[in-house]
Amino acid sequence: MRLMKGAVIVLSAVAFTLTALTAYQFLSSGYARYQQYSTAAGRRLQQVEQFDPKDYPPLPEPRPELCPIDPLSSTRRPDIVVTKNDTRNDTPVNAAIVYLIEFLDRPLEQNHKEMMRFNKALWLLWENFEEAYRYPIMVFHEPAFTPQYQRRYRRMWPRGLDIHFHLVEFSMPPTFPQNRELTELGLHPTNRRAFPGYNHMIHFFFKDIFDHPAIASLDYFWRLDHDSMLESPVGVDVFKYMQARGLKYGYRTVTTDARHVTNGLLTFFDKYRRDPSHHSLLEGQTCGTTSQQNCMDIPTDRKARENYAPLMYYNNFEIIHVPTWRSAQMRELTNAVDGTDMIYWNRWGDAPLRYYAVNMMLDVNTQVMEWCHIKYHHHKTFQPLCNLV
């Protein structure tokens, strides 16, 4: 009898402890969310997250047998088969290679360190692609990179490169609070670390670049970062290859982004694709239909979304069909993202934004290209997953 009473007491104590812990976790998460939403950044995030999937028609069921290959998989990809026309250097495409260099108002030593990385990147580009195909290179820069510096560094680069310098001057969106402390606004420390320069870069590549006069008339551009290293021969005119096959987007690899700089991003795209008034670039299809065709995964449950790392094209290497991004459908989506100001409030990156835009707008199986045969380095080395044959 005493043994039974003891067991009951122990079980009651365990049950009480578990209940207390559950209540504590619930209250703690509630308080953390209250703290998060009590700032200006938190209130903007709350606006983005106000969404109930039940208010929209259900999405069509995806068809797993038609799903593209898992982009995070390290399995071998099918070989890339090229023709003689893909490797000839005559009749070039109306295209360019694009860089935004990191030369800022700061000590010259720091700028020089980054320019030496750019110097190495340009020599590798020359050896592995440009010497064979000779496309113009557009170097976008801020005012600190004066003509004097342009001449100085140009002497270090391969003479055969056709380089054009383009000045860009960034400004804050007029809807973002001016002259306020970033901690007071509630910006995450990761965002504050390089604010607003990094945010300007994101905004430039996600939206502004497509209206730049040097870009708007192109058919394609290949964006590389100043420290993007092509470490093996490309072996093919990537622009001619993509144009001949009607490809709209090319990338090197897919990875995941950090959750704390993508708060609300998945909710935004889930809401956007469920709205039947939003159409993709596939004839007769909504964004919802196209995203399901591409098996684009966004958890429906809010808690699950908070624990899910969004996917992103590692778009320090990306090849873009300019008319596609200047289309009415893509502009509508781009403007909707821009209207949230979350590029500045939460540092939504152009990499995950590009991934979800592509997967809602294009047929990944037929219009998107993984350049898997190139050995590529940006912060880490990506080994080839296929061959060029």
Side-chain angles (χ1 to χ4, degrees), residues 2 9 14 25 96 129 139 271 279 281 295 315 339 358 371 376 381:
R2 287 180 180 177
I9 292 171
V14 170
Q25 290 174 344
F129 182 78
V139 177
K271 180 179 180 180
H279 293 274
L281 285 159
C295 304
N315 69 332
V358 165
W371 288 102
Y376 176 68
T381 298

Side-chain angles (χ1 to χ4, degrees), residues 31-48:
Y31 180 66
R33 185 165 292 280
Y34 166 76
Q35 282 190 314
Q36 181 185 43
Y37 288 153
S38 66
T39 65
R43 289 190 291 272
R44 180 54 64 97
L45 173 60
Q46 192 173 29
Q47 292 174 10
V48 173

